[in-house]
């Protein structure tokens, strides 16, 4: 879910005043702190957002799904914050993005023997839509709010993006962020029919996600050895990096293993992983950059390998 973490982080960094006023009900001057200030585990680095005011530390976490270990993490962050900034109170807010019936999204307390820690939980789907439509920096969250018609709300957001007197770069970032977050609820083809795709691709948000994919692709290439690097080297420039990113996302989304693992015996007999066939990898390697970008959005809705093969059948030249 890194794309959602990164999108929310960019929104907080670029529209800090809008988001702080929404969450705190007042306008205060804040600066961004590096997550390493309180970092517990590198796994959670993307979701941790820290803002510092004159007399407050604001700790934000955007979550797509609830995690049972989150209350402990919030308590741990609070203690680390006290150690680092003993004179400043900390306001902690967990913001859930996608509707859920899980009882975990209502947990706002960590208890351990004589220890009790509380934090604030905000569920976007319970927040009034109008609160997000009148402020540019909040527009990308509107589709996830308490709306009976997300499609109509997305259309309203599109209209507001054009109505607000925004610089082109700001409009690009807001459009890209809206596209990514709306993908939690709506079909990508529907989203593309409402929002301008060309504007999204020019945004720094979209480029940051591609850059992350390039970096992770390079790291995976080093870890998986020179042989995979030579195989992926047939693609050039952005096409190569986009392919690496798509392969990585597919493996995570569909629990796939690389084709090189065919014939290997897994230590865990209950391992439900499937091996991506070399034939399927070759088909992916033949896709153009535009097709890979389309696939990178579409795969967020995939549940089975058949969803991938069906998509390829519809989009291959």
């Amino acid at each position: 879910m890194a794309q959602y973490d990164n999108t929310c982080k960019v929104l907080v960094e670029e529209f800090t005043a809008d988001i702080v006023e929404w969450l705190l009900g007042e306008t205060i001057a804040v600066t961004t702190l590096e997550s390493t200030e309180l970092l517990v585990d590198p796994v959670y680095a993307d979701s941790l957002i820290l803002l510092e005011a004159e007399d407050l530390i604001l700790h934000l976490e955007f979550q797509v799904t609830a995690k049972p270990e989150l209350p402990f993490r919030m308590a741990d962050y609070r203690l680390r914050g006290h150690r680092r900034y003993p004179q400043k109170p900390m306001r902690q807010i967990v913001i859930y993005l996608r509707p859920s019936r899980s009882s975990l999204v209502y947990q706002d307390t960590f208890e351990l023997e004589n220890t009790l820690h509380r934090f604030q939980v905000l569920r976007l789907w319970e927040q009034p839509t109008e609160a997000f439509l009148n402020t540019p920096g909040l527009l990308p969250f509107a589709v996830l709010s308490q709306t009976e018609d997300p499609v109509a709300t997305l259309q309203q957001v599109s209209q507001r993006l054009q109505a607000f007197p925004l610089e082109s770069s700001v409009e690009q970032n807001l459009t890209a962020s809206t596209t990514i977050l709306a993908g939690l609820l709506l079909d990508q083809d529907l989203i593309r029919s409402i929002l301008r795709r060309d504007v999204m691709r020019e945004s720094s948000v979209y480029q940051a996600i591609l850059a992350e994919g390039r970096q992770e692709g390079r790291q995976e290439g080093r870890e998986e050895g020179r042989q995979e690097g030579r195989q992926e080297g047939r693609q050039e420039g952005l096409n190569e990096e986009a392919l690496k990113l798509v392969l990585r996302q597919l493996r995570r989304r569909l629990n796939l293993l690389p084709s090189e693992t065919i014939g290997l015996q897994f230590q865990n007999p209950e391992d439900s992983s499937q091996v991506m066939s070399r034939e399927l990898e070759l088909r992916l390697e033949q896709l153009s950059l535009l097709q890979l970008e389309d696939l990178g959005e579409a795969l967020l809705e995939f549940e089975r390998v058949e969803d991938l093969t069906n998509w390829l059948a519809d989009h291959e030249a």
Side-chain angles (χ1 to χ4, degrees):
M1 302 294 181
Q3 69 266 38
Y4 304 115
D5 293 331
N6 290 340
T7 298
C8 292
K9 183 170 290 188
V10 170
L11 285 172
V12 172
E13 291 175 351
E14 295 198 9
F15 305 95
T16 308
D18 291 348
I19 291 176
V20 168
E21 184 174 1
W22 163 51
L23 293 173
L24 302 185
E26 60 179 324
T27 301
I28 60 174
V30 298
T31 56
T32 302
L33 293 173
E34 291 295 328
S35 60
T36 51
E37 292 282 343
L38 304 184
L39 197 57
V40 178
D41 190 325
V43 171
Y44 303 123
D46 288 338
S47 62
L48 177 62
I49 300 174
L50 296 174
L51 301 173
E52 182 182 14
E54 184 177 355
D55 57 354
L56 176 72
I57 299 295
L58 181 59
H59 167 203
L60 306 179
E61 292 223 18
F62 290 88
Q63 296 289 328
V64 175
T65 57
K67 298 179 176 64
E69 70 272 14
L70 185 62
F72 169 75
R73 280 172 46 201
M74 300 303 286
D76 198 5
Y77 283 138
R78 181 63 191 95
L79 292 174
R80 288 168 179 263
H82 178 70
R83 182 181 296 112
R84 180 69 178 82
Y85 304 97
Q87 305 305 321
K88 290 189 176 184
M90 177 181 285
R91 180 86 173 266
Q92 294 179 293
I93 306 176
V94 177
I95 303 162
Y96 286 108
L97 301 173
R98 184 163 58 190
S100 172
R101 295 181 179 178
S102 170
S103 61
L104 294 178
V105 300
Y106 293 91
Q107 287 190 352
D108 60 0
T109 303
F110 174 75
E111 295 184 61
L112 179 65
E113 298 174 354
N114 296 322
T115 299
L116 175 65
H117 175 67
R118 296 187 183 278
F119 52 94
Q120 183 178 349
V121 172
L122 190 153
R123 296 168 290 276
L124 277 185
W125 59 93
E126 296 177 354
Q127 306 304 308
T129 303
E130 198 61 31
F132 300 93
L133 293 175
N134 297 318
T135 306
L138 302 181
L139 285 173
F141 299 110
V143 178
L144 305 177
S145 66
Q146 191 180 40
T147 173
E148 296 181 358
D149 190 344
V151 176
T153 300
L154 183 61
Q155 292 171 333
Q156 284 184 281
V157 171
S158 179
Q159 294 168 1
R160 297 295 175 95
L161 284 170
Q162 299 177 42
F164 279 121
L166 303 172
E167 296 181 2
S168 59
S169 60
V170 175
E171 181 184 355
Q172 290 165 5
N173 285 340
L174 288 173
T175 300
S177 299
T178 302
T179 299
I180 293 167
L181 294 179
L184 287 168
L185 294 181
L186 302 176
D187 177 76
Q188 289 294 331
D189 290 335
L190 176 61
I191 296 171
R192 287 195 292 267
S193 71
I194 297 174
L195 298 176
R196 290 176 54 194
R197 183 73 179 280
D198 59 323
V199 172
M200 172 182 172
R201 287 182 174 172
E202 294 171 359
S203 71
S204 61
V205 174
Y206 185 73
Q207 295 303 320
I209 291 175
L210 281 182
E212 181 194 15
R214 297 186 196 113
Q215 178 62 31
E216 292 177 347
R218 284 193 290 269
Q219 182 176 354
E220 284 190 356
R222 288 192 294 269
E223 293 173 351
E224 294 174 4
R226 294 181 180 179
Q227 180 178 357
E228 183 177 348
R230 287 194 296 268
Q231 291 171 344
E232 294 178 340
R234 287 193 292 269
Q235 301 293 331
E236 296 181 357
L238 284 176
N239 199 80
E240 176 186 1
E241 306 302 344
L243 176 63
K244 291 178 182 178
L245 176 58
V246 165
L247 285 171
R248 176 178 174 274
Q249 290 175 321
L250 283 169
R251 289 167 183 165
R252 285 189 175 182
R253 180 70 182 176
L254 302 178
N255 197 24
L256 293 172
L257 296 169
S259 60
E260 290 85 350
T261 59
I262 291 178
L264 296 180
Q265 296 295 321
F266 300 110
Q267 293 182 351
N268 182 3
E270 298 180 356
D271 196 326
S272 61
S273 301
Q274 302 179 66
V275 177
M276 178 182 288
S277 68
R278 183 55 186 152
E279 177 186 357
L280 194 54
E281 288 183 352
L282 288 171
R283 292 173 68 182
L284 292 172
E285 290 175 5
Q286 299 306 312
L287 296 178
S288 66
L289 177 59
L290 180 59
Q291 289 172 316
L292 287 170
E293 291 174 347
D294 288 340
L295 177 56
E297 296 178 3
L299 65 82
L300 298 175
E301 305 297 327
F302 290 176
E303 300 293 341
R304 303 171 301 167
V305 175
E306 287 76 8
D307 295 329
L308 172 60
T309 56
N310 291 338
W311 187 94
L312 288 171
D314 292 337
H315 293 79
E316 287 173 320

